[in-house]
Amino acid sequence: MRAAARHPLSLRLAGAAVHAYTALGSVLALLVVLAALEGEAVTALWLGLAALWIDGTDGMLARRARVKETIPWFDGALLDNIVDYLTYVFAPVVLLWTTGALTHDWRGWVLAALPLLASSYQFCRVDAKTDDHTFLGFPSYWNVVAFYVVVLDLPQPVVAAALVVFSVLVFVPVRYLYPSRTEALWPVSMGLTVVWLVTYAVLLLQYPDPHPVVVALSFAYVVYYLAFSGWLTARAAHRRRRAARSA
C-alpha cells in the first residue's frame, strides 16, 4: 500500500481506469446473453467484437499504467480470467443454444456442457499462459466458434463435431499463438489479427450473405494461426530436447 502511494495519483487513477475497462467486458457478456435470448444474433456478435477489442487492448494499457505497482492489492489477472470466461465461453454457448445450432434435447445439453467444463479447467491451469507468452491447450475461443457458426449457418452435425474436437484440444498440450504477446513475428501476427477483426465486421455487415472472398480472407488468418501455433509447439519441443541433452 505504501509503495503504491509513492506513485503519482494520475498513474494510480490510470491503473484503476484500466481495471474498470477490463471489467466492462462482464457487462458486454450480459448484453450478449440478452441479445441472444431475444433472437438478435448479429447484435450479440457485434457486442462480442467489442469484447474482443477490450480483451486485446487492456493488457497493453495495464502494462503502460503499471497496474501491478500502482494497485498491487488488486488481482487484474483474476479479473481478466473472470471476464474472459464470461465473454469467450459462457455467452457464446448461450448464443449457440438460442440460434438453434444445438439440438434442444439431452444431446444438445451435453454438447453445451463440454465447452463450459473444459474451459473451467483451462482457466484454472497455472500454466495456461506459458513463460514465452503462448497459450497451452486450445485457448477457449468459443466466441470465434460461435461467430463462424452463426455467420456461415453451419449445420448441427458440424457444430457438434467442432465442440467435441475443441473441447478435447483444451487438454492437449499444444502451444497456441497469443497474438498480442507472442514475440516471434509479433508485427505480422498483430497485423493479420487486425485484418481478421476487419473481416469479422465486414461479414457481420454482409450477413446473411457473406461474400466468399471475405470468408476466404477470414479463414486465411485461421490457417495462419493454426500453422504458426504448430511451429511454436515444435520450437518449444526442440528447446526442451536441447536442454535435456545439455543437462
Side-chain angles (χ1 to χ4, degrees):
M1 296 284 284
R2 292 178 180 176
R6 290 199 294 267
H7 293 284
L9 177 61
S10 59
L11 190 60
R12 284 180 280 155
L13 289 175
V18 171
H19 286 317
Y21 178 64
T22 299
L24 181 61
S26 64
V27 180
L28 289 174
L30 171 63
L31 295 177
V32 170
V33 170
L34 293 177
L37 293 175
E38 293 174 2
E40 299 290 340
V42 173
T43 300
L45 290 175
W46 278 115
L47 292 165
L49 179 59
L52 273 169
W53 179 264
I54 289 176
D55 185 54
T57 56
D58 64 349
M60 174 190 65
L61 295 173
R63 288 186 289 276
R64 289 198 64 174
R66 295 156 58 189
V67 295
K68 290 185 178 181
E69 301 173 35
T70 58
I71 314 179
W73 61 89
F74 190 89
D75 193 338
L78 178 58
L79 172 64
D80 191 60
N81 276 342
I82 292 171
V83 172
D84 283 356
Y85 187 84
L86 292 173
T87 57
Y88 279 56
V89 187
F90 186 79
V93 170
V94 172
L95 181 59
L96 289 174
W97 184 268
T98 58
T99 55
L102 299 172
T103 57
H104 289 186
D105 55 18
W106 67 268
R107 286 164 294 190
W109 281 104
V110 170
L111 288 170
L114 289 179
L116 299 175
L117 295 174
S119 294
S120 294
Y121 165 80
Q122 202 260 351
F123 272 85
C124 293
R125 290 188 65 164
V126 297
D127 60 349
K129 296 177 182 177
T130 64
D131 292 337
D132 58 348
H133 304 302
T134 64
F135 296 114
L136 192 62
F138 175 68
S140 295
Y141 285 149
W142 301 108
N143 52 342
V144 176
V145 173
F147 166 71
Y148 284 118
V149 168
V150 172
V151 169
L152 302 180
D153 192 23
L154 298 179
Q156 288 180 341
V158 174
V159 176
L163 294 181
V164 172
V165 169
F166 288 123
S167 293
V168 170
L169 287 176
V170 167
F171 301 91
V172 179
V174 171
R175 292 177 181 242
Y176 289 83
L177 171 66
Y178 190 162
S180 63
R181 297 296 305 276
T182 302
E183 294 179 359
L185 295 182
W186 184 87
V188 175
S189 296
M190 281 304 298
L192 293 176
T193 300
V194 171
V195 171
W196 181 81
L197 290 172
V198 172
T199 65
Y200 183 118
V202 172
L203 287 171
L204 286 184
L205 291 172
Q206 294 177 338
Y207 183 84
D209 298 307
H211 195 285
V213 173
V214 183
V215 173
L217 285 173
S218 181
F219 272 111
Y221 175 78
V222 175
V223 171
Y224 168 82
Y225 185 93
L226 295 176
F228 192 50
S229 297
W231 179 80
L232 290 170
T233 302
R235 184 184 67 167
H238 175 72
R239 288 177 174 176
R240 287 195 301 271
R241 288 193 297 269
R242 187 172 59 186
R245 287 195 298 267
S246 61

